[in-house]
Amino acid sequence: MLLIPCPYCGPRPELEFRHAGEAHIARPANPDATAAGAWSEYLYVRSNPKGRHIERWRHASGCNRFFNCVRDTVTDVIEATYPAGEARR
Amino acid sequence: MIVRQRSGTRLRFSFDGKDYTGVAGDTLASALLANGVHLMGRSFKYHRPRGVLGAGAEEPNALVDVAGPDGRSTPNLRATTVELYDGLRATSQNRYPSLRFDLGAVNGLLSPLLGAGFYYKTFMHPRAAWATLYEPLIRRAAGLGEAPRRPDPDHYAQRYAHCETLVVGAGPAGLLAALTAAQSGERVMVVDEQAVLGGSLLAERRATIAGQPAADWLAATLATLAAMPNVQLLPRTTAFGYYQQNLLGLVERVTDHLAAPDPALPRERLWQVRARDVVLATGAIERPLVFAGNDRPGVMLASAARTYCNRYGVAVGRRVVVFTADDSAYAAALDLQAAGVAVVAIVDLRPDPSGPGVVAARAAGLTVMPGTAVIATTGHWRVTGARLSSNTTLACDALLMGGGWTPSVHLFSQSRGTLRFDAARQIYLPGTPAQRQSSVGGANGVFDLASILAPLAVAGDIPAQGGFLGLVPGSRATGFVDYQNDVKAADILQATQEGFRSIEHVKRYTTTGMATDQGKTSNMNALAIAAAALDLPLPEVGLTSFRTPYTPVTFGSIAGAARGALFDPVRKTPIHPWAEAQGAAFEDVGQWKRAWYFQHIGESMHEAVKRECLTVRRAVGLFDASTLGKIEVVGPDAAEFLNRLYTNSWSKLAVGRCRYGLMLTEAGFVLDDGVVGRLAADRFHVTTTSGGAGRVLAHMEDYLQTEFTDLQVWLTSTTEQWAVIAVQGPRARDLLAPLVEGIDLAAMPHMSVREGRIAGVPTRLFQVSFTGELGYEVNVPAGHALAVWEALWAAGAPYDACAYGTEAMHVLRAEKGYIVVGQETDGTVTPEDLGLGWAVGKAKADFVGKRSLAMMDLQATDRPQLVGLLPAHLPQEGAQIVDRADPPIGSAALGHVTSAYDSATLGRPMALALLAGGRRRMGQTVHITTATGTMPATIVAPVFYDQEGARLDA
Ligand SMILES: [Zn+2]
């Protein structure tokens, strides 16, 4: 079980959180003007790396906020967490 | 044989029905050995007689079933770790009818057939025979203990803890680490799987530490630690799993060692400990040597024999031969000799052994035979002789093996640390850790007490040095590598001959290392044999993963209190007690208990549902809809937020009006639906499906927090604040009217909401219908709901009102073709598929899912579409729909039945279905699959009753 540092509440056990997929997948600003291929990519294509990964978590049993988390998918070491909307780390 | 006075209380116990006595402090294994019993089990596959191999958690052979009080039984316990108590009853496993006379031993004669890969090869065809023939046969012939047949009568506790330093293993290395950490004032936890702390020092009778006997140093150190308030010592506690961020799972055995445990105590306690630093002092495990006959009772690890002698005062034989490639076995020989056992010879594989043990052995007059191997044994129930490579046979009643030591890197590996191979010593050692952690002592490959305890002065130690991996030269390959799964050297060789090169494949093909002991004594030999056969350096055949748990953990400890009524929360509405008193049957909807139907005396379920449906259509019914999800959406941008989250348009919805809202995923598929009422320009009362409330709120929060951050909106879950009573039927208005204050019911249109009072209680009153009849949904604060329900129930008496349950609700809504998300939808269904295109605001600039609806696949005209079916009989929900009455095998389905009910209103069965291109096929006949064939059904529009909707606002 991960120990996840919520940027708002501090370190909490994983069972308080819900995973919310890869981070920094921005919704296209003008969906109607987005080509089908690019839209499919937005919906379905994820990087799924072995190693450094930025993902979203929601502190479901806490502040209920979404935030971003830099985690190594091999070692599970969490490098940083930061509020949603901040620049990619 | 007992070699010295065994002090302690005498304890009676039985094994396979025969009575014995042992002493307090014994394990079942040491007590049986003290009584001269070596035969403790039958092997897994060949049913070979087996004795004890080790003296601890690594034991692969001596698995027993221990019966507790009140019919309790625990299978597959290692006799080496079962603490003796007065009255203990143990039985051997995997034998029929008895340990000595076992019919399954005939498997031994079949061993050429049961070798590596036999599961794959022998029983490939025919497949059907698996269930009827092969599996039952294998299950009876090969196996371990029997699962208990009764529910677990014990209870289990769970605890969480934090500390600065967690030390796993209370041997010399662990104790020294604990002492050092504790002296800095930090919180220290020391856990050890054994009943007493001390590890290898418990069997150390030669070495002195700081000038005193090892036992005295141990006692003094334990006393020091026990007296420190910042130190917690946990014996009988196994660290079984090492997880992320230094979280360790521990299981503490609280009562299993007690004859009459206090029933208030839990049987076991599961600890989850988060530590800043972890010290792994998990020691090392001695390896057997692989030679023919290395599994006869009486053949065991040298360190185990030393432990039985020094710690328990039990000699494992009267005439022992020691077969070693490692110095530490000399310590066993010397200690057994000192205890009065005849040590016939020390047979050493190494051509020129020369360590301090060798010197001491020669000085003690022991025969050392260098450059010699034991290549076979004689005996059946017990070893009677060791045949040497020099072609002589040494008579003996115990044969001790010293194959060298394997550091216990299991937890290190679980923690994602990378192992490194020490080619000179042929052992895997902890390499780079992935977490704040260190490995010390034997776990780190440091085997000599002086180095472990430096700077304390140590004398008299005979440390491990040497070792041998693989098949002993000159021996046939019938020697066992994995005792617990009955894997021989020959099986590994066969796997490599058949083309398996990676140990991951060899392991699965031969099952080596896959038993409950996870190959603690066998993995390195298996690797070495495979590597030698493939002519590769050992690390190149790979290393299998070490998985949790280190030793088996009970399900009870993991479940803890989450059993029975506490397994999952049960949610009940405030009206539940009324329904219960009326004798309602309940159904589970998520965590909710919902009234399913209200059966009158003498009625069947079918009759009750029929009566409820007809009463709603004819007069009026009350329905507890409190489980509906509710979200209050508030803020200056609330309408714009809903515009973006729902397909519908909300900007023009007047205050006091409602609309049916449809919510999509970004991929364009229906996620949820529900009625939304506008209470003020900046305030909406949103309802969701009963099961969808949490999902919808998370979906809304996600967009609000991460995509539509320009909007000022606040979301609040109000599901449990508002109870909902649906009043549905032509007399609904008549029933409500006398109870309502401040609302002009007659002026309320369909799809509107008003605030006022009902039965003296504040209400949000919706005029909405999920039945097709004139209907209201009375929202009241949950605390008043039961009183309001009772007032409405009393007011309904003149109209012969009924209470109806979820079954009738489903029939009524299906007659009207109203969908249920999760029943008519499955995550791949668009609004257009459901005929709900009218609810999509196509003129809106954007909403979640809009772009996806324009994707080619979602525009296809042959997509499954919602239709009604008039079938000959009631079909199964989920049944496939096909074109022909006799579809050939392999025919593609055209769709499936999503809902099916016997409709009292129609007087016939009806169904909703998703059918490819269904709307173009009105009036056609299709066939619904049944258990015995198919039944015909006519395709109709998915509204079976009051197509014009005239009754909604009657
Ligand atoms: Zn938080």
Side-chain angles (χ1 to χ4, degrees), chain A residues 6-10 12 16-17 59-60 62-65 67:
Chain A
C6 171
Y8 308 100
C9 308
R12 294 287 190 277
E16 292 186 10
F17 298 84
H59 194 184
C63 62
N64 206 23
R65 296 236 240 168
F67 60 89

